[in-house]
Amino acid sequence: MKSKIEIGRILYPKKVKQTAVGEFAIFTAHITEHLEGEEPIKHESFDTITLKGIVPKIKEGDTFVAIYDNAETNKFGTSYELVTLIKEFDKNNKEQVKDFLELVCGVNIAKELMKHEDAIGMLERKETEKLLEIKGIGKKRLEHIYENMAQMKDYSLAYSTLGKYGLTKKTISKICQVYGGSECAIEVCETNPYDLICKVAGISFKTADEIALKCGLDKDSKERIESAIYYVLEENGKKGRTYLFTNQFLEVINNIVGVDQSTLFTILNQMIRDKKILLLNDNKELALPYYFDLEKQIAQQLRRIASAKTNIKVPSNWIEIVKDIEDKQGWKHTEEQLRGIETVLNNNVTIITGKAGTGKSTVTNAMCRILDDYTIKMTCLGAKASQRIAEVTGRDASTIHKLLGLFDDSDDRGSTIFADIVILDEASMVDGRLFLLLLKSIQDGTKLIILGDDGQLQSIGDCSVFSDLLTSKTDLLPIVNLTKIHRQAQASAIITKSIDVRNQIPLYHKNFRGYTKLGELQDLELFIEDEKDKLLEIVVGEFFKNLKEVGNVFEVQIISAMKNRGVLCTNNINRTIQQLYNPNAKYNNRREYTTNSDVLILEGDKVINRKNNYNVETIEGLPTEIFNGNIGEVITIEEDVIIVDFNGVLVKIEGSDRNYLDLAYAVTVHSAQGSQWERVICTFDTSMWMLLNVEILYTAMTRALKRCAVIAQDRAIKRCIKTIEQRTKQTYLNRFLQFI
């Protein structure tokens, strides 16, 4: 629903006449004009409606356009959930109108439109004939302008005001959505832009700092320097360095803030006294309390689970059960795998690591067979990975978020896991916060098995949990390191050559160019060329060749290192494949949607969801959730909703959530980690230079189940082979684990 309103009484916070920006409030409102949707239910005595939600600075008598929904009725009457309050900009203010038109139409067309007294009105009324007479506006251009206008009208004041700070339309939209409208967004940006860093995805300290300095904030201000200190420590925490040596920190912070040392030390020492940051280990280390406490709690929870009295009784004939498994599968377990099975059976917490093909799943499956009478829950980070686990083990598996019943990404209370055994797969992908939530949800007496491959990419997020577990050196956390490739895997070049890559052994002799097949199964193909454009042709050709052989676009996956740079980035490959596989001219009158990242999505496209979304519905109206990395097919595109088939479940993606969809014919290695497909095409060129390393190539190759094609420049592959990701580990978890 949408109405023009006048603010009445502020009911919450109590005893205030005016709210603070970004504050939660409950207030009454007089409707001066109802604009869209069904008529709201008014208070029978006061002729007002009650609204609740995040607000800008409001006071009695202020006027806004309110967008609201989800009526809730209780003993106090009916209230509505506020989506946003919009303060429309002054159409008589030429500067505001000019700034807005430049964002909608571009500088040159805006200049022409400004010659007309009611340019905004002409666009709102869609006076097409008049507008087509204006220099620079054609039919296609006008359609684009109308689309921009429709997307931007509710945040028009923010676009016209914040655009001058160099913020993009996409970023301004994000800020408005987070803070509940234009007024609040403008207030935050102009009074405390550093608040944006932790609340709006994609806003760095540099961006916030540029806004602050343009707004006249003092370079030596406490707000600026404190924000910079937090930013440095938080960013390093996300990269696995949960503390910094004092000299490290000072070098980084000085490069960022560029202020007098005495000013910096004054503010830094005050933050230490206020315990906003920690100074540890004889004043040699600086850390945020959040990371210190997080790692301490992880160690404590692991100790609790590892030392608890177990509820599980291992069958005395478990060796006979293993022999029966071997007879049925037709091959024997290696000595490493047998020791691994025994370790899992005899300990509450076991860590199993190993390269591809060494049998991590084999050990797990055997353990599940031996303890078949007990309840087993299997989980991992990604939805695709959980599907794969379920296929391999024949048991149900779910994402960690679903297992814990998390309602959003900020939720810090997972529900208790009622299970005798919990198996966490792809543990290298899990960050510290989520790992702690999982541990807290596990009951005393439950057996925990942690599986992972330390040769893959590390988690994007705080701490270096899996890496620290592997170096913990404590009897309470035994580690099973599988090194021997089992016989069945030795025939696969995908397995053997990926391990060569991990060991930095070249895939081919140095002068090789062209095409070859490798392995007993001939399941690894190499296309080594120097010309990037030629490589793109090969990628496209291989995609369609494999698609014809497999017959399922969801079992053929292109993987690249980068999203938006170079000929072989995923964005360029996706556009190219879309034009050939699902061209716009394939169907007549087919609807389409363009995201705020300018990604064109058509009915029939293969898409990936880029956001954990816990509040979506199926087409039947049943609540469900979709996660970052879920891949599906677009079924229909309607006015404000896109219907996507995610593995047989038809989900409605509505409103701004549509902007988190992206084409998925090609995905990045980071997006692909944890998933596997029947056919995989890996492609790399020198445009991705800084991202190329052993972990990238190894992870990409091991996403393939039956066939892998590596299509790349020679220099790019050589760069991968010789470069190991150097992630400096500076964590307290490693220390805590040694003393649990």
Side-chain angles (χ1 to χ4, degrees):
M1 292 172 277
K2 187 175 183 179
S3 307
K4 289 185 179 180
I5 65 164
E6 180 182 309
I7 304 294
R9 288 179 60 208
I10 297 174
L11 306 173
Y12 181 87
K14 295 181 180 180
K15 299 180 180 180
V16 301
K17 298 293 184 182
Q18 179 175 289
T19 67
V21 63
E23 191 170 20
F24 176 84
I26 303 173
F27 60 96
T28 64
H30 300 274
I31 295 178
T32 57
E33 183 183 353
H34 187 61
L35 302 172
E36 292 178 12
E38 61 184 55
E39 288 285 339
I41 301 170
K42 297 179 183 178
H43 194 285
E44 56 186 19
S45 300
F46 303 106
D47 197 35
T48 59
I49 62 171
T50 301
L51 297 167
K52 57 184 181 181
I54 303 297
V55 295
K57 189 183 292 182
I58 63 169
K59 63 182 185 297
E60 187 175 339
D62 284 347
T63 58
F64 295 90
V65 173
I67 300 176
Y68 53 99
D69 56 18
N70 297 338
E72 180 184 320
T73 303
N74 54 35
K75 64 181 180 179
F76 301 108
T78 301
S79 62
Y80 294 89
E81 186 178 321
L82 181 67
V83 177
T84 186
L85 287 176
I86 303 160
K87 193 79 168 181
E88 295 183 322
F89 70 88
D90 184 1
K91 294 178 183 178
N92 296 316
N93 186 319
K94 287 189 176 181
E95 192 63 30
Q96 286 191 5
V97 172
K98 176 176 171 290
D99 290 339
F100 180 66
L101 287 175
E102 285 181 354
L103 285 164
V104 173
C105 315
V107 175
N108 293 332
I109 293 176
K111 187 177 180 180
E112 294 297 320
L113 280 168
M114 286 296 293
K115 297 175 182 177
H116 299 261
E117 287 188 8
D118 188 24
I120 299 291
M122 290 169 65
L123 290 170
E124 289 178 335
R125 293 187 296 272
K126 293 190 175 181
E127 297 179 3
T128 301
E129 290 185 8
K130 286 185 180 179
L131 289 165
L132 287 173
E133 294 175 359
I134 294 172
K135 183 181 178 181
I137 298 182
K139 287 185 178 180
K140 286 189 177 181
R141 182 63 176 165
L142 186 57
E143 287 178 10
H144 186 65
I145 290 170
Y146 284 154
E147 289 174 6
N148 278 351
M149 192 76 180
Q151 289 177 4
M152 296 172 65
K153 64 181 180 180
D154 288 339
Y155 298 144
S156 54
L157 182 61
Y159 288 120
S160 63
T161 305
L162 300 180
K164 62 188 178 187
Y165 299 130
L167 298 175
T168 64
K169 291 184 289 184
K170 180 182 176 182
T171 301
I172 294 170
S173 293
K174 280 186 184 178
I175 295 170
C176 289
Q177 289 164 17
V178 169
Y179 289 96
S182 292
E183 286 280 289
C184 196
I186 293 167
E187 180 100 9
V188 169
C189 287
E190 293 187 339
T191 58
N192 183 24
Y194 300 108
D195 192 59
L196 302 171
I197 300 169
C198 57
K199 291 184 179 177
V200 183
I203 298 283
S204 65
F205 175 83
K206 183 181 178 183
T207 300
D209 199 41
E210 286 174 355
I211 297 170
L213 295 175
K214 286 179 181 177
C215 290
L217 189 73
D218 187 0
K219 187 178 180 183
D220 293 337
S221 70
K222 179 180 175 216
E223 293 85 0
R224 179 173 184 258
I225 295 172
E226 278 196 358
S227 180
I229 291 169
Y230 280 127
Y231 176 75
V232 168
L233 294 174
E234 284 174 352
E235 286 301 297
N236 277 277
K238 292 174 184 177
K239 296 173 182 177
R241 295 184 289 273
T242 53
Y243 69 87
L244 289 180
F245 292 111
T246 309
N247 58 343
Q248 278 181 311
F249 169 80
L250 290 174
E251 183 179 350
V252 175
I253 199 71
N254 282 323
N255 288 334
I256 290 177
V257 297
V259 298
D260 182 75
Q261 290 293 290
S262 62
T263 304
L264 173 62
F265 281 117
T266 299
I267 295 171
L268 181 61
N269 288 329
Q270 187 59 54
M271 292 178 74
I272 293 168
R273 286 193 295 272
D274 294 341
K275 297 184 179 178
K276 293 179 178 179
I277 57 175
L278 304 176
L279 185 62
L280 303 163
N281 194 17
D282 296 328
N283 300 335
K284 294 177 183 176
E285 298 165 359
L286 282 168
L288 290 176
Y290 167 76
Y291 289 123
F292 185 86
D293 293 339
L294 173 64
E295 294 185 310
K296 188 175 182 179
Q297 288 187 64
I298 289 173
Q300 290 171 338
Q301 290 295 326
L302 282 168
R303 180 179 182 84
R304 172 184 65 81
I305 298 168
S307 58
K309 186 177 179 181
T310 183
N311 300 321
I312 295 173
K313 295 182 180 178
V314 178
S316 58
N317 66 335
W318 70 266
I319 294 177
E320 294 175 15
I321 297 173
V322 170
K323 288 181 179 178
D324 183 60
I325 295 170
E326 291 176 343
D327 290 340
K328 290 179 179 177
Q329 65 191 15
W331 48 268
K332 293 184 178 293
H333 295 88
T334 67
E335 290 185 11
E336 281 184 339
Q337 291 169 348
L338 290 171
R339 285 197 299 272
I341 295 167
E342 186 173 14
T343 302
V344 168
L345 295 174
N346 292 333
N347 291 275
N348 282 2
V349 180
T350 306
I351 300 150
I352 302 176
T353 186
K355 307 177 185 72
T358 54
K360 297 185 293 294
S361 297
T362 300
V363 172
T364 305
N365 282 335
M367 185 278 303
C368 290
R369 287 280 303 277
I370 295 166
L371 302 177
D372 197 39
D373 293 336
Y374 293 93
T375 305
I376 300 173
K377 299 280 188 180
M378 310 189 75
T379 190
C380 60
L381 186 63
K384 180 75 175 177
S386 68
Q387 295 167 17
R388 180 181 60 80
I389 295 168
E391 292 167 2
V392 171
T393 63
R395 295 175 177 270
D396 290 338
S398 65
T399 64
I400 300 173
H401 292 83
K402 191 170 184 177
L403 179 65
L404 300 183
L406 300 177
F407 295 102
D408 58 55
D409 285 336
S410 63
D411 202 342
D412 60 358
R413 293 179 297 174
S415 55
T416 302
I417 302 171
F418 296 100
D420 299 303
I421 302 165
V422 173
I423 300 172
L424 171 63
D425 200 6
E426 302 285 356
S428 62
M429 299 174 60
V430 182
D431 65 28
R433 175 188 163 273
L434 193 57
F435 188 64
L436 178 60
L437 288 178
L438 177 68
L439 295 179
K440 284 182 174 180
S441 299
I442 294 174
Q443 296 177 295
D444 287 356
T446 299
K447 187 183 289 291
L448 172 64
I449 302 165
I450 302 169
L451 307 173
D453 183 348
D454 65 339
Q456 294 187 26
L457 298 170
Q458 300 191 50
S459 65
I460 300 174
D462 44 38
C463 308
S464 297
V465 173
F466 190 66
S467 178
D468 282 335
L469 291 178
L470 294 180
T471 56
S472 59
K473 297 178 182 178
T474 170
D475 292 338
L476 280 175
L477 303 176
I479 299 166
V480 176
N481 188 9
L482 302 174
T483 60
K484 188 177 178 62
I485 304 171
H486 57 78
R487 180 170 55 81
Q488 289 74 20
Q490 290 175 3
S492 168
I494 296 173
I495 300 296
T496 57
K497 291 298 180 180
S498 67
I499 291 174
D500 281 350
V501 165
R502 187 172 161 180
N503 293 328
Q504 296 186 283
I505 298 171
L507 282 172
Y508 51 87
H509 61 80
K510 63 180 181 179
N511 296 320
F512 174 77
R513 296 291 188 279
Y515 169 77
T516 189
K517 279 187 179 182
L518 301 174
E520 184 181 328
L521 299 178
Q522 298 280 280
D523 57 348
L524 178 62
E525 298 176 282
L526 298 181
F527 298 82
I528 307 301
E529 298 286 344
D530 293 324
E531 295 181 26
K532 296 178 183 180
D533 289 338
K534 178 68 173 176
L535 288 172
L536 180 61
E537 291 178 18
I538 297 171
V539 168
V540 173
E542 280 299 295
F543 172 82
F544 284 102
K545 185 189 84 173
N546 281 278
L547 180 60
K548 184 177 180 180
E549 292 174 358
V550 176
N552 183 354
V553 71
F554 296 97
E555 286 299 337
V556 181
Q557 188 60 59
I558 302 169
I559 300 176
S560 177
M562 292 201 75
K563 182 176 174 65
N564 54 12
R565 182 184 296 174
V567 174
L568 298 178
C569 71
T570 61
N571 283 352
N572 191 46
I573 295 173
N574 276 323
R575 286 191 295 266
T576 305
I577 296 291
Q578 183 190 50
Q579 291 166 7
L580 297 168
Y581 174 76
N582 192 36
N584 200 19
K586 188 175 179 180
Y587 306 105
N588 292 324
N589 301 317
R590 188 173 57 163
R591 290 186 177 179
E592 61 187 45
Y593 179 76
T594 301
T595 72
N596 56 16
S597 301
D598 292 326
V599 176
L600 175 66
I601 293 175
L602 305 168
E603 292 174 348
D605 270 330
K606 178 181 177 182
V607 293
I608 185 169
N609 174 57
R610 297 292 189 187
K611 171 191 177 185
N612 289 337
N613 196 330
Y614 305 83
N615 298 301
V616 290
E617 291 183 347
T618 67
I619 59 172
E620 294 85 9
L622 300 173
T624 188
E625 61 275 312
I626 54 175
F627 299 103
N628 187 358
N630 282 166
I631 292 176
E633 179 184 6
V634 176
I635 303 302
T636 59
I637 298 176
E638 300 173 8
E639 187 173 347
D640 196 43
V641 62
I642 298 176
I643 308 297
V644 182
D645 182 347
F646 289 109
N647 197 35
V649 180
L650 298 182
V651 178
K652 295 189 288 185
I653 312 296
E654 300 179 88
S656 62
D657 288 339
R658 296 172 297 171
N659 295 314
Y660 293 98
L661 293 177
D662 199 355
L663 296 176
Y665 304 105
V667 299
T668 64
V669 183
H670 284 89
S671 295
Q673 187 168 358
S675 303
Q676 285 189 299
W677 295 267
E678 188 172 321
R679 307 282 181 98
V680 167
I681 300 163
C682 314
T683 187
F684 309 100
D685 65 22
T686 53
S687 304
M688 314 165 186
W689 191 259
M690 297 305 294
L691 287 178
L692 299 179
N693 53 51
V694 164
E695 292 83 1
I696 283 280
L697 182 55
Y698 174 77
T699 302
M701 290 174 64
T702 53
R703 299 312 89 202
L705 289 168
K706 292 185 178 180
R707 186 178 298 173
C708 178
V710 177
I711 304 171
Q713 284 182 298
D714 174 64
R715 286 182 64 213
I717 293 295
K718 287 177 178 174
R719 166 76 175 180
C720 287
I721 297 294
K722 74 177 185 180
T723 307
I724 295 177
E725 184 185 21
Q726 296 296 328
R727 185 168 179 178
T728 306
K729 278 187 19 179
Q730 292 174 195
T731 68
Y732 290 114
L733 178 57
N734 190 274
R735 301 183 199 178
F736 289 139
L737 288 172
Q738 292 179 32
F739 298 102
I740 66 171

